[in-house]
Amino acid sequence: MTTAIIDRTGATPLNDAPAPMIDPFGRAVTYLRVSVTDRCDFRCTYCMAENMTFLPKKDLLTLEELNRLCSAFIAKGVRKLRLTGGEPLVRKNVMFLVRELGKHVHDGRLDELTLTTNGSQLARHAAELADCGVRRINVSLDTLDPEKFKSITRWGELGKVLEGIGAAQAAGIHVKINAVALKDFNDQEIPDMMRWAHGRGMDLTLIETMPMGEIDEDRTDHYLPLSEMRARLAEQFTLSDNAYKTGGPARYLTVAETGGRLGLITPMTHNFCESCNRVRLTCTGTLYMCLGQNDAADLRAPLRISDDDAYLSTVIDEAISRKPKGHDFIIDRTSNKPAVARHMSVTGG
Ligand code: SAM
Ligand code: SF4
């Protein structure tokens, strides 16, 4: 049954913009997230095991193919595109793809081209990203303590990430900080991180840890429901609901004391599926219609079958017609298995 179309992207399509794809629950699919590589120069403990087996390089789509796929989605009404990974900035020549996709921003076919990055390579790419039309980025940062940063990322260096954030801001890019809230790791530090981010004109968004992929530890040890974190913050800060939307899954609060915004992404305690406008493409051309489900569609074969996008377009439509209502993530000690076997780095956060 098709119900009213829900489009919470805030997008303002051109008059001749293509009609958006509509899923079986009446949701307009206007947002594509693309994992351009599953590889990363960090090994965040909640995301990856230390010894990871990555996809064979021969299975990867070329950047030209990724560009063609993304452009096919834009022709089908996608208005917002996020590059993610793995770490998107470690993919060789990734700036070629950013520049090509940026042309759609300049031409008004795309409202936003953005990326989620760990920030390690940002200092050297920031100016070019801005030049390509990237106006906002998300930088993942779970702590401001250099030692703790090393322990959570295993391989990362805080100084480089801070330098990258500074370079992005200097290039005129709006930076949002994303932190996974982890019990007995950064929960005590969140108020300071919030003051730090808000003091520099950046939103801070907290994320609940999701059961995706085998890691070297038990996720239940650090799982922190954000309902609990919000209650703790409310003891120190005046928090009020804010209607601000970025087209993503975060709900926002205004913090009176800092004048900044705090985002909450709560896949575990407050399911955000009803307003889901997203699908996710991997670097091998697999389309996942839901972050938390296994059903997927292969777009690589239809892409390679012909230079014409007609068949590809049909396969995309068929995939969207299978977009599920939502995910069923649970973290508990009795079901100690991840809800989905693939790591977040395959489909991107
Ligand atoms: N490497 C980039 C980065 O870290 O920003 C982009 C990819 S990373 C998979 C995207 C986001 O997913 C990051 O903010 C990361 O903290 C988050 N993430 C990774 N694994 C997660 C998990 N199991 N639960 C919740 N968030 C996770
Ligand atoms: Fe890499 Fe991002 Fe996963 Fe950390 S969260 S290991 S930076 S992909």
Side-chain angles (χ1 to χ4, degrees):
M1 188 188 69
T2 303
T3 48
I5 297 169
I6 303 167
D7 182 0
R8 298 192 169 106
T9 58
T12 45
L14 300 174
N15 284 340
D16 59 351
M21 298 176 281
I22 307 296
D23 81 357
F25 303 95
R27 297 171 297 193
V29 179
T30 52
Y31 185 178
L32 178 67
R33 294 195 177 197
V34 186
S35 174
V36 298
T37 175
D38 65 330
R39 290 164 197 255
C40 188
D41 53 349
F42 290 4
R43 289 289 181 280
C44 302
T45 54
Y46 53 79
C47 177
M48 293 190 183
E50 184 149 24
N51 289 314
M52 291 285 288
T53 309
F54 292 110
L55 294 162
K57 285 205 172 137
K58 66 173 176 44
D59 290 353
L60 261 56
L61 295 182
T62 64
L63 293 172
E64 287 80 4
E65 287 176 320
L66 276 174
N67 181 34
R68 200 181 132 202
L69 265 184
C70 291
S71 302
F73 276 93
I74 294 166
K76 294 182 75 59
V78 159
R79 304 289 310 175
K80 175 168 172 171
L81 208 146
R82 176 177 298 277
L83 302 182
T84 173
E87 173 46 40
L89 295 179
V90 301
R91 172 117 191 216
K92 205 169 158 205
N93 286 336
V94 71
M95 293 311 296
F96 162 80
L97 179 63
V98 178
R99 190 159 289 282
E100 287 301 306
L101 295 173
K103 292 177 185 166
H104 296 291
V105 177
H106 291 299
D107 294 348
R109 285 190 293 270
L110 202 55
D111 293 325
E112 185 168 55
L113 172 63
T114 181
L115 73 163
T116 303
T117 173
N118 65 23
S120 66
Q121 314 290 318
L122 197 50
R124 67 192 171 97
H125 289 303
E128 194 177 353
L129 286 169
D131 189 50
C132 291
V134 174
R135 305 275 169 262
R136 292 194 314 138
I137 56 172
N138 291 358
V139 178
S140 306
L141 178 61
D142 302 318
T143 174
L144 289 168
D145 175 314
E147 291 306 312
K148 284 170 76 177
F149 186 81
K150 180 120 255 163
S151 77
I152 196 84
T153 61
R154 292 193 181 105
W155 298 358
E157 231 183 273
L158 178 65
K160 283 199 177 149
V161 176
L162 297 181
E163 194 192 332
I165 292 171
Q169 289 193 306
I173 298 175
H174 288 281
V175 179
K176 188 180 85 161
I177 303 295
N178 281 350
V180 177
L182 298 163
K183 188 166 65 164
D184 300 331
F185 176 74
N186 61 3
D187 48 345
Q188 305 284 346
E189 206 194 330
I190 299 296
D192 283 344
M193 286 187 70
M194 197 164 77
R195 288 188 199 95
W196 171 82
H198 291 177
R200 285 159 182 76
M202 302 183 287
D203 291 348
L204 172 71
T205 291
L206 304 178
I207 309 173
E208 284 173 340
T209 180
M210 294 171 234
M212 298 189 65
E214 294 283 356
I215 54 172
D216 296 330
E217 56 186 47
D218 182 348
R219 279 198 178 87
T220 43
D221 290 345
H222 292 292
Y223 171 60
L224 176 62
L226 288 183
S227 45
E228 186 183 319
M229 193 70 229
R230 179 181 175 157
R232 277 161 60 180
L233 288 171
E235 290 167 11
Q236 284 185 57
F237 298 96
T238 317
L239 308 174
S240 53
D241 289 321
N242 182 317
Y244 177 71
K245 276 269 162 209
T246 61
R251 287 175 296 134
Y252 284 90
L253 304 171
T254 301
V255 184
E257 288 74 5
T258 61
R261 271 189 301 249
L262 177 70
L264 303 175
I265 299 185
T266 53
M268 311 303 296
T269 52
H270 179 273
N271 193 311
F272 46 57
C273 303
E274 72 186 34
S275 59
C276 182
N277 55 358
R278 297 172 286 288
V279 287
R280 293 159 198 270
L281 184 65
T282 72
C283 54
T284 55
T286 303
L287 185 73
Y288 284 94
M289 286 71 83
C290 173
L291 180 66
Q293 301 280 1
N294 287 318
D295 188 26
D298 172 45
L299 301 185
R300 182 171 54 181
L303 179 81
R304 289 183 176 171
I305 253 171
S306 158
D307 287 342
D308 182 279
D309 285 348
Y311 178 53
L312 174 66
S313 176
T314 315
V315 176
I316 294 173
D317 285 338
E318 200 277 326
I320 299 299
S321 77
R322 301 204 310 263
K323 185 167 161 59
K325 193 167 183 191
H327 66 243
D328 332 283
F329 286 143
I330 311 175
I331 290 193
D332 69 35
R333 289 189 190 275
T334 49
S335 65
N336 214 356
K337 282 257 156 243
V340 289
R342 63 182 187 276
H343 292 87
M344 185 74 114
S345 47
V346 173
T347 34

